[in-house]
Amino acid sequence: VPGLLASYLAAMAIHTLSSPMITRSLLLATLLATALVATADAALDLTATAPEEYVSSGLVYKRLVFKDDKRRVEMEFPPGWSVRDASPARLELTPPGKGFATALIQTQPAGSRALDEAAVKAIAEQALAALPTDSQGGTVQSAGLDTDGSGSSEVILTYKSLGYTFRRSVRFVNLPNCPLVAQISAPEAEFQALYATFRRSVQSLNWN
């Protein structure tokens, strides 16, 4: 899974960018190299339009709209969340009032399909190595394939940074239309609720 591991480095950069111990030039080189890998075979364009409102059962909701060639792709947008940055291969979201929490969705090469246990172990090691350079006590809490046979997998890590204990989930989502990496990092006290909200949003992706 060399291509998958390479493109994963770009997903990790979201939290590492805040660390003064990494030079901007090194990060830029990493992002440029991995962005080429991530976008080469990915048709889904994560450059979202402004959140679109719609009414269901008398209630008003919001969704983000993307493009996959000529197809429209919709994703439920969590209430109060905002788009921090968007590009064809990467979408960064932030929840309201949570200054240290970040969420990321990134497209993966078309060949990034069902993983085996050895590949998940390699990704867990890469995820651990890619934690912020000023972090301490990085630990892989769990790493494994989903039990539903979808070929998706998840790595959960904990680490200390900025005076907080953080948790980070990195999910490789093996969608039929486009494999994705979905990552969320947050202080431990805030993690579970934000994780559940973000995961529901990713699961709502719908190709029309």
Side-chain angles (χ1 to χ4, degrees):
V1 289
L4 183 57
L5 291 175
S7 56
Y8 173 68
L9 288 173
M12 293 293 99
I14 181 175
H15 194 82
T16 310
L17 279 169
S18 62
S19 173
M21 299 177 67
I22 298 290
T23 66
R24 190 173 296 274
S25 59
L26 177 59
L27 282 172
L28 181 59
T30 302
L31 287 171
L32 286 174
T34 54
L36 290 174
V37 174
T39 60
D41 299 310
L44 178 61
D45 185 346
L46 293 175
T47 309
T49 61
E52 178 183 276
E53 290 188 350
Y54 70 99
V55 178
S56 178
S57 301
L59 298 176
V60 178
Y61 299 92
K62 291 185 178 182
R63 60 192 169 202
L64 294 177
V65 178
F66 314 107
K67 291 183 179 180
D68 187 341
D69 195 12
K70 296 180 180 180
R71 301 180 68 182
R72 173 185 168 101
V73 183
E74 299 172 350
M75 185 183 80
E76 298 298 318
F77 194 47
W81 286 49
S82 59
V83 175
R84 182 175 178 182
D85 188 41
S87 66
R90 167 179 161 138
L91 177 70
E92 182 182 343
L93 305 174
T94 54
K98 308 294 183 183
F100 294 119
T102 53
L104 175 77
I105 300 172
Q106 181 173 322
T107 59
Q108 297 297 293
S112 305
R113 292 297 175 178
L115 306 177
D116 57 20
E117 293 290 349
V120 173
K121 181 179 179 181
I123 290 168
E125 293 173 353
Q126 182 64 64
L128 191 61
L131 289 175
T133 55
D134 60 351
S135 65
Q136 298 177 335
T139 304
V140 176
Q141 277 198 327
S142 62
L145 296 167
D146 288 2
T147 57
D148 59 5
S150 65
S152 298
S153 62
E154 183 172 35
V155 176
I156 301 286
L157 308 102
T158 61
Y159 60 98
K160 295 183 183 297
S161 180
L162 305 172
Y164 294 89
T165 297
F166 282 81
R167 291 183 70 187
R168 171 177 287 179
S169 162
V170 182
R171 283 190 58 77
F172 290 89
V173 188
N174 191 27
L175 295 176
N177 295 285
C178 178
L180 302 170
V181 59
Q183 174 189 294
I184 183 165
S185 305
E188 192 167 33
E190 304 170 352
F191 178 82
Q192 197 57 46
L194 295 175
Y195 167 80
T197 298
F198 180 57
R199 182 164 178 172
R200 283 195 301 270
S201 184
V202 174
Q203 290 175 329
S204 74
L205 277 162
N206 181 43
W207 273 253
N208 297 310

